[in-house]
Amino acid sequence: MTSAASQYDPYDFANRRHIGPTLAEIGEMLERVGAPSLDALIDETLPPDIRQAGGLDFGRALTERRAIERMRETADKNRLLVSLIGQGYHGTTMPPAIQRNIFENPAWYTAYSPYQPEISQGRLEALLNFQTLVCDLTALDVANASLLDEATAAAEAMGMAKRVATSKADAFFIDRDCLPQTIAVLRTRAAPLGWRIVVGDPFTDLDPAAVFGALFQYPGVTGAIRDLSEPIAALHGAGAVAVVAADPLALTLLKAPGEMGADIAVGSMQRYGVPMGYGGPHAAYMATRDAHKRALPGRIVGVSVDARGNRAYRLALQTREQHIRREKATSNICTSQVLLAVVASMYAVYHGPMGLKAIAQRVHRDAVRLAEGLERLGFTPDHAAFFDTVTVPVGAFQGVILRNAVANGVNLRKVGADRIGITVDERTRPDIVQAVWRAFGGDALAYDEAWPAPRLPAALHRTSAYLTHPIFHMNRAESEMTRYMRRLADRDLALDRAMIPLGSCTMKLNATAEMLPISWPEFSEIHPHVPADQAAGYHELIGDLSEKLCAITGYDAISMQPNSGAQGEYAGLLAIRGYHLSRGEAHRTVCLIPSSAHGTNPASAQMCGMSVVVVGADAHGNVDVDDFRRKAEQHADRLAACMITYPSTHGVFEARVRELCAIVHEHGGQVYLDGANLNALVGLARPGDIGADVSHLNLHKTFCIPHGGGGPGMGPIGVKAHLIPFLPGDPRTGEAGAVSAAPFGSTSILPISWSYCLMMGGRGLTQATRVAILNANYIAKRLESAYPILYAGAQGRVAHECIVDLRPFQKSAGVTNEDVAKRLIDCGFHPPTMSWPVAGTLMIEPTESETKGEIDRFCDAMLAIREEIRAIETGRADRADNPLKNAPHTVQDLIGAWERPYSREAACFPAGARGMDKYWPPVNRVDNAYGDRNLMCSCPPPEAYDAAAE
Ligand SMILES: *Cc1c(COP(=O)(O)O)cnc(C)c1O
């Protein structure tokens, strides 16, 4: 293409869904940035020696209609049976009101992580409900706002146990009745940190003095329900920490982990209305005692106040997290599972404590009925007491019963060589129970509607109350529920309202056509452990998407297992570690990381037992190659890896990236290239060609999976051939090697990325990259006369994002980057990334999805804000009392006395705010420090609501 505007390209027209600017607008924007054509702009932006040879060729791009048909054909290749496999995954029903109003509602699923509390009050409230739910069920004091899955939550708990235990032992005990995938992930996690894993029976094999902690499953994977008070007390006697992985539905009937003395509880909230999805995404939970709250990993929502003293929510205790503490953080967790935590919390609001208990009782009764039938057939379950899971010895009949079950439409769990496990759930109905009996030879057994006697252990009945807060007792008429979900959604600013120009986070369009398939039962209701022939559609999808990602990245293989970018980093560094070990070079443990790296990089390196050596940046935002070389030489004997981001976190295509890779290789290290910025590379350059050995890709950035308000995400890794043997292993085996609970991570959201690739085609994807770069350069150009733009490439071009420096205005006007960020909320925008990678700046990434109109609205707002700053600089506005310092403004600012030196109109309707369509933030600026001083991380008592409403 010579000039984008000069020729009509029907191909681009087909991609109008994803690519914001029209061809005519592209022409105008090119003129503004001073480039004769898109090609010329790209030539000025990307160093020639990294450009990929041919273009991406994925054949013809599919129309939206054809792509949906293709999804349908693929979904139909999955065979949907009833899965009673259990093992951490259960059938459940997402109430339709929640499915349509949250799960399928872009107001919820296109929101970003709640780092800007003023525009996140809705999801923060839903997450506070989630934390309250978890605290109540577990009888512990503080819960976080979700982790990635139960297995990784258990691994985080092990790490936390090490931090808080007074015991100096270096072994961790795992109950043999834990989920196999949990045991696998813990084994993986423990190895690089030098911790020993002991698996056994807690009542006979646990030596409390030999361990720093232990994990128990409650109820166990075989269904056993044991009183854990005794082993927990023994652990405490030895200064060790007790972790209980508990089923949150069982906890409505059973004594809580906190009541048995547990220090930490973890688990999966999947069965609270979140479909199994062949492994995910689901929200895991984690709770602990008040004494350990500062050691808790993951995001925690807390209650604070805004500038008016009104109640406002925000993330608490952020100084524990990777973005601040880097390799000293409590974990590398960044993206978690907000959308699914919101769904689970709404499920609890929808059913209330009585409803949840009724569901649990129904599940239990069906388990008892099922067991009674099996007993009549001559099979004796292993455990006298159980909740939802029955394990039966079947001797040599195992194979035939499992096959019979499948023939009757039911998957059961194979346990060892001679047992079968059956786990019933919320959706189990009489015909399913009868189908199981038939599989066991009981064709004539009748389902008796009468309530059987429960078989829960008498000593472990739950007596304590839970979900007593009024939110779980609201009038649950659907009219009220719908309005509650709508009210919360309206408090938040998501992509369905305005551009979210978050540097590094790539908040691009999540097209509706891409989202449709994830609600289809053939994708959403598949248990992750079904036989492969029942998931043929998924395997076709994973295979083709992997091939496309290999073609895009230049890698030889992809692992879909990591379920976030940070998990991808961890998996990639483990692959590097495995490679060094295989060559007898276990001593290679040094990892070079530029000072500008994302906080997850050093935090992940630490989890792999690596020590971080920080490399500086030069004045242009590039990695300081001399410093890099010096440190590589200095640590040559122990060099394991470097982690670099490309284009750099400064938004620049470094010209010497090949040289960096060569230096590391020369000294025996491997190159980890953080692929979060792949949106600037697709179709133009490939990490695998530049010299990198492994990368993670954020499918929730570049490949259209929505952010969900802070998760889900997917962070698959691509590797060169020599690292293939060290890719994550199968978690179902229970062996070391797995990094997530499910073999393909959050599998059910992969159709989104796949359909994006199918609808764009290779050329469309490349055009998206080119327009993303154009959009960023256009913003840089429009803002450069008003604000210093930090960093550019050799020819003055930025990559797909740009950094606006606000530090000069601190001195000239007392204005900080935070003031500008909050003022942008008044203008109807989500603030850009604040103070990363450079303190005192804003990093803006428009993505290709934004139109020229929306980008101009944003630039107009930024330029108007510059005039407001100028008014302060020239003394026309007060230094302390001005629209920037008081931003954001709310409807409260329209009523009552007004004593500010500027008008209400100026306060509430600055440039960009769209008249009658204006977004009103629900709170004024939130006081973060107050919240940390007065920590409250579950729903405040009802009196507090009344006070706040005054
Ligand atoms: C987003 C991001 C990550 C982490 O990804 P998560 O999915 O949030 O864990 C890592 N590195 C960079 C540069 C990123 O922008």
Side-chain angles (χ1 to χ4, degrees), residues 628-629 656-668 671 690-691:
F628 191 89
R629 187 190 304 280
R656 297 170 74 181
V657 62
R658 281 180 175 278
E659 202 178 330
L660 296 180
C661 297
I663 292 171
V664 171
H665 286 148
E666 194 184 309
H667 294 101
V671 176
I690 295 171

Side-chain angles (χ1 to χ4, degrees), residues 125 128-129 131-133 136 303 311 313 348-349 352-353 465-476 484 936 938-946:
E125 176 163 324
L128 198 71
N129 293 347
Q131 290 175 185
T132 306
L133 166 68
D136 282 11
V303 183
R311 180 169 44 88
Y313 310 113
V349 171
Y466 48 87
L467 302 190
T468 55
H469 192 274
I471 196 65
F472 300 107
H473 295 267
M474 66 181 266
N475 185 324
R476 281 182 283 272
Y484 179 55
M936 181 189 284
S938 48
C939 294
E943 309 85 76
Y945 284 81
D946 299 341

Side-chain angles (χ1 to χ4, degrees), residues 806-885:
L806 294 159
R807 289 170 297 189
F809 307 116
Q810 169 80 61
K811 206 169 184 177
S812 69
V815 168
T816 65
N817 63 338
E818 185 177 24
D819 297 331
V820 174
K822 303 302 181 191
R823 186 61 174 152
L824 277 168
I825 296 173
D826 284 335
C827 303
F829 290 99
H830 190 295
T833 300
M834 254 172 59
S835 282
W836 184 78
V838 184
T841 65
L842 294 177
M843 180 156 64
I844 300 164
E845 177 181 357
T847 82
E848 71 282 3
S849 312
E850 295 305 334
T851 62
K852 178 169 181 293
E854 181 71 349
I855 291 173
D856 280 334
R857 185 171 76 93
F858 176 77
C859 292
D860 292 345
M862 284 295 288
L863 295 174
I865 290 173
R866 178 66 187 91
E867 290 314 310
E868 290 179 344
I869 297 174
R870 206 181 310 284
I872 304 168
E873 289 171 332
T874 57
R876 279 179 290 129
D878 189 83
R879 233 178 132 89
D881 193 359
N882 59 57
L884 283 141
K885 283 287 165 209

Side-chain angles (χ1 to χ4, degrees), residues 334-335 504 564-566 569 598 600 645 674 676 696 698 700-701 836:
C334 180
T335 290
S504 211
S564 76
E569 294 169 20
H598 197 265
T600 50
T645 305
D674 182 326
H696 76 266
N698 296 67
H700 49 301
K701 295 179 181 173
W836 184 78

